[in-house]
Amino acid sequence: MLLNITTTHKPATDLGYLMHKHPDKFQSFELSVGEAHVFYPEVSEDKATLSLLLDIDPIEMVRGGRHDNNFALGHYVNDRPYVASSFMSVALAKAFSSAMNGKCKDKPELVEVKLPYEVSISVVPAPRGGEVMIRKFFEPLGYEVDLMRHELDPKFPEWGESKYYTLKLKNVIKTRDLLSHLYVLLPTLDSDKHYFVNKEEIDKLLQKGEGWLKQHPERELIIKRYLLNFNYLAKQAIERISEGETEEVIEELETNEVKEKKESMHEKRLNLTLEKLVASGAERVLDLGCGEGRLLRKLIKNKQFTEIVGMDVSYGELLKAKERLYYDDMSPKQQERIKLFQGSLTYKDARLEGFDAAAVVEVIEHLDLNRLRAFERVLFECAQPKTVVLTTPNKEYNVMWEQLPAEEMRHNDHRFEWTRQEFMDWAQSITEKYQYTVVFLPVGEEVENIGAPSQMAIFTYGN
Ligand code: SAH
């Protein structure tokens, strides 16, 4: 992972004084998960480039428990060594602490001078709609933003584009401001929760954000993403930065309201699913892509269901489900009613055969479109439950989520989202290929011309 800072200020060699790094020296710093190296690939009176090279050791990250354990191989195969993340911020703070604090021992007058800077960052991971977000974060601070999005694999163009960008920034700016902007904004683009945030992070954020974050039009989103969407921390940070600007606090409360709305939306969806499963008369039910087991918890409370199976591709989610069901504290009789296992909906699986009903709640949009056909066969041709209750977001409703930037999907991992028509077309094709009939239901309150937030199809076997 490489970050280059170039200036054409005259003399460009001033960069050495400003950054407290001698142009002739190659310097290295220990980080908790690897090393950072600082050197100058180019130095002349006209142009100087300073490089910060991060050498992250993924094994060290595993030892420190710094990677999420949902995906076992993820310990060893992950993007951490190659992308700009919070580690880059740590490295920036360590390598350029004096410059960041606005100190320049030999030429103090340079601190207040705005210099022409160009920054290039080899790889930035961005959430969906990443380009919009990157621009929204940097452009209000005066940066000219140049982005190049990378394909997943140039050998397979049909795989489409990745979430990785090469980012170039240009600005005429004070050195300490440039470094603080990078320190705060680079980790906000990264959605991977691999670092630990606590209250001290608020202090760091507010200190590095001094003089610019308060005025930034996207400050709330920046704060939230910096604090990994931990709302209680973000709320404290927003209160501290707004110091009595009650309007902002109210705005923040509204944002929480949106979150609550989304949550209660999910409750509604699960309750409706439960209602339809009960109405189908099913006794033996599958919850496919059960996640952390929210539906399972509802199913187990209803005596109609004598055998309940939760399947998910993520082992981590299954562990959560087991914990949240208090499985270990259940009586042996209750334990007999419920089974959890790992499996993928895109591979034929005999364990799924012979059930009365299956719930597939907010799962299909996590499958790659080209695997959808495999999923159809696994469920409707091989497992063939009598009833299938399936939900997916209604893409048309996205305009109603204020916080959702244009083009962005509701969840980082969604591979597609469908309009009502697209969903109906797909469901109709299922009835034609397999012997099912289908009815559709809106989930949540319907808006004219837009529909409801989520959509449900109930498939019944036999024509
Ligand atoms: N049904 C749950 C979780 C929805 S999130 C609920 O409504 O609360 C989507 C879930 O689908 C995740 O837990 C994810 O791990 C799972 N998933 C994604 N792809 C899958 C696949 N191919 N097979 C099984 N589960 C999958």
Side-chain angles (χ1 to χ4, degrees), residues 28-67:
S28 298
F29 305 84
E30 288 286 328
L31 300 174
S32 61
V33 290
E35 279 189 307
H37 309 286
V38 176
F39 54 94
Y40 289 79
E42 179 178 7
V43 192
S44 70
E45 293 287 301
D46 298 329
K47 191 175 175 195
T49 297
L50 173 62
S51 293
L52 176 61
L53 178 74
L54 279 198
D55 191 4
I56 303 279
D57 179 353
I59 305 298
E60 202 47 54
M61 274 178 54
V62 178
R63 288 204 192 111
R66 282 188 176 76
H67 207 269

Side-chain angles (χ1 to χ4, degrees), residues 83-100:
V83 303
S85 64
S86 59
F87 297 128
M88 181 51 94
S89 298
V90 175
L92 280 167
K94 201 153 186 186
F96 309 123
S97 64
S98 310
M100 247 189 207

Side-chain angles (χ1 to χ4, degrees), residues 348-391:
K348 185 175 164 181
D349 193 332
R351 295 172 299 179
L352 305 180
E353 289 169 21
F355 283 82
D356 302 323
V360 194
V361 180
E362 306 293 282
V363 174
I364 58 167
E365 63 278 6
H366 293 268
L367 306 176
D368 284 319
L369 263 176
N370 60 4
R371 303 294 294 148
L372 205 58
R373 176 98 172 95
F375 159 74
E376 289 170 27
R377 296 196 56 197
V378 168
L379 180 59
F380 296 100
E381 187 179 304
C382 305
Q384 217 171 63
K386 288 190 200 87
T387 305
V388 175
V389 181
L390 185 146
T391 76

